Amino acid sequence: MLAIFGALVMGAAFGFLLQRGKVTSCNVIENQFRLRDFTVLKVMGTAIVVGGIGVLLLVDTGNSKYYVKDANMLAVALGAALFGVGMVVYGYCPGTALGAIATGSVHALVGALGMVAGAILYALSFDWLKGHVLNVWALGKVRLPDLTGVPDAAWFIALAIGAGLFFWWVETSQPKRA
Amino acid sequence: MTTITHDIARDVPRSARIDWSPYLVGAGIGILSWIAFGLFGDPLGVTTAYSRIASLFATPFIGADAVAQNSYWKSMPLKWDYGVWFLVGIPFGAFVSAVLSGTWRLELVPEVWKERFGPSVTKRFIAAFAGGVVIMYGARLAGGCTSGHGISGGLQLALSSWLFLGVMFATGLVVSAVMFRKS
């Protein structure tokens, strides 16, 4: 019971933040890919840097562990390419779509039915994919620090500086909006 | 593009605009990730739970037996776990935020789409459905979405997730350039 409540509160907090961050708006997402509005990258970049430093500390102090997804390089690359196509045509990603439905977006709901169909198609093609795609260049649960030998802290310093410079450039070169 | 933003701004009363900084929201999601890792041991993600739920919808189409026999759903059966309840929470939180900020509104065809492809609701619905099929198939093939790979995987410096982020954005930029080209 408490676990259910915890999950609901976490999901609600996530949905609340997505809506406040304007990323449940199809216009904002489309304009990110058109390079006219950098809200999506600002939200994601900040979440990765802030979240990453905290999780690194949690793992280092033994309070959490990593949950890394398998680097099935061919499947991830193909899947990500399809994902990019779908995100621009749909105008949402799966999480923001669920938020958008609740803010009155009817076309997001139609797309959510499409997502159900997509999940079913994936389940039906899973056996073939397992034998032909998922097993190609399967490197396992690899993290960039392990792969490169560059320590975690260095990655986050570089990410923070890179993101900071990029956002500074975006803020100064984009026209001010009242 | 400034014209688009200004048009939206004009349509919505000044009191009914959300003005949280995207950096603040990003930091909030980052902190939410600390809790997800430290307290629940379950990073933010959407599509794994989504495909569990999809098995419910598959039953009328392919039959309960086919669903039960399916090797993917065997590895990922429908269970009301943390991820599924997390999923249920998302629309709830977004709804509360939209109502509190006065930004809840019915949207059949979004502005950017209308400008390029016209006001046809049918056309937009067909595209949204098709886009939904493709995005979920891609998410399952890659093993995650913008949340699971992009944020949760990205912040763990996972190789798979940074490959996902790079390929996803590159493809999106190309498709967007083609889709919104000046005709």
Side-chain angles (χ1 to χ4, degrees):
Chain A
M1 191 60 214
L2 196 67
I4 293 174
F5 185 71
L8 275 172
V9 169
M10 288 293 285
F14 189 50
F16 190 94
L17 286 167
L18 291 177
Q19 209 275 338
R20 284 295 146 127
K22 303 187 189 78
V23 287
T24 55
S25 160
C26 177
N27 297 311
V28 168
I29 293 180
E30 294 290 9
N31 280 332
Q32 172 64 71
F33 286 105
R34 298 169 81 190
L35 303 178
R36 295 171 175 209
D37 180 331
F38 284 83
T39 304
V40 174
L41 279 184
K42 289 176 195 171
V43 171
M44 289 186 71
T46 316
I48 289 174
V49 172
V50 171
I53 293 170
V55 169
L56 173 65
L57 291 174
L58 283 172
V59 172
D60 277 355
T61 54
N63 288 302
S64 186
K65 62 180 180 92
Y66 286 120
Y67 300 86
V68 174
K69 293 176 189 288
D70 286 315
N72 307 317
M73 299 302 269
L74 180 63
V76 173
L78 285 176
L82 287 172
F83 196 95
V85 175
M87 192 154 168
V88 170
V89 175
Y90 186 10
Y92 298 104
C93 62
T96 54
L98 291 176
I101 293 169
T103 66
S105 170
V106 183
H107 60 109
L109 178 62
V110 175
L113 297 177
M115 292 203 291
V116 170
I120 294 173
L121 287 177
Y122 182 77
L124 295 177
S125 53
F126 181 67
D127 283 329
W128 186 87
L129 290 167
K130 203 175 169 184
H132 296 86
V133 180
L134 288 162
N135 55 347
V136 180
W137 303 319
L139 306 180
K141 303 184 186 304
V142 186
R143 295 180 63 248
L144 294 171
D146 308 327
L147 192 73
T148 56
V150 177
D152 285 77
W155 281 96
F156 282 115
I157 291 168
L159 269 176
I161 293 173
L165 286 174
F166 179 72
F167 294 144
W168 176 76
W169 173 76
V170 166
E171 297 296 349
T172 49
S173 62
Q174 292 280 303
K176 282 267 177 280
R177 287 173 217 119
Chain B
M1 89 106 299
T2 31
T3 53
I4 299 167
T5 346
H6 284 215
D7 282 348
I8 296 167
R10 211 179 303 133
D11 290 343
V12 183
R14 203 173 168 76
S15 59
R17 276 162 57 195
I18 35 178
D19 51 7
W20 283 22
S21 153
Y23 305 115
L24 179 73
V25 168
I29 294 174
I31 291 168
L32 210 59
S33 278
W34 303 350
I35 305 171
F37 274 85
L39 196 60
F40 294 104
D42 204 329
L44 308 179
V46 171
T47 56
T48 308
Y50 206 95
S51 55
R52 287 189 201 278
I53 297 175
S55 67
L56 275 181
F57 290 84
T59 309
F61 293 104
I62 62 172
D65 287 346
V67 172
Q69 295 301 315
N70 182 277
S71 52
Y72 183 69
W73 279 315
K74 268 185 186 166
S75 71
M76 205 163 285
L78 177 70
K79 55 175 180 185
W80 293 88
D81 65 352
Y82 176 90
V84 172
W85 287 111
F86 179 82
L87 208 76
V88 174
I90 294 174
F92 181 72
F95 178 77
V96 170
S97 171
V99 169
L100 287 182
S101 59
T103 48
W104 199 99
R105 58 177 187 156
L106 219 53
E107 182 183 83
L108 292 170
V109 183
E111 291 306 316
V112 275
W113 179 273
K114 207 178 283 177
E115 271 192 2
R116 174 69 182 87
F117 298 104
S120 163
V121 174
T122 317
K123 216 171 170 183
R124 174 58 196 150
F125 277 15
I126 292 171
F129 188 88
V133 174
V134 174
I135 201 170
M136 186 53 69
Y137 195 91
R140 287 296 79 215
L141 184 57
C145 62
T146 339
S147 311
H149 256 315
I151 293 174
S152 299
L155 69 83
Q156 297 182 78
L157 303 174
L159 171 65
S160 53
S161 302
W162 283 92
L163 176 69
F164 177 87
L165 277 169
V167 175
M168 184 268 276
F169 265 106
T171 316
L173 288 174
V174 173
V175 175
S176 180
V178 173
M179 223 171 90
F180 289 100
R181 74 189 178 281
K182 297 247 179 359
S183 47

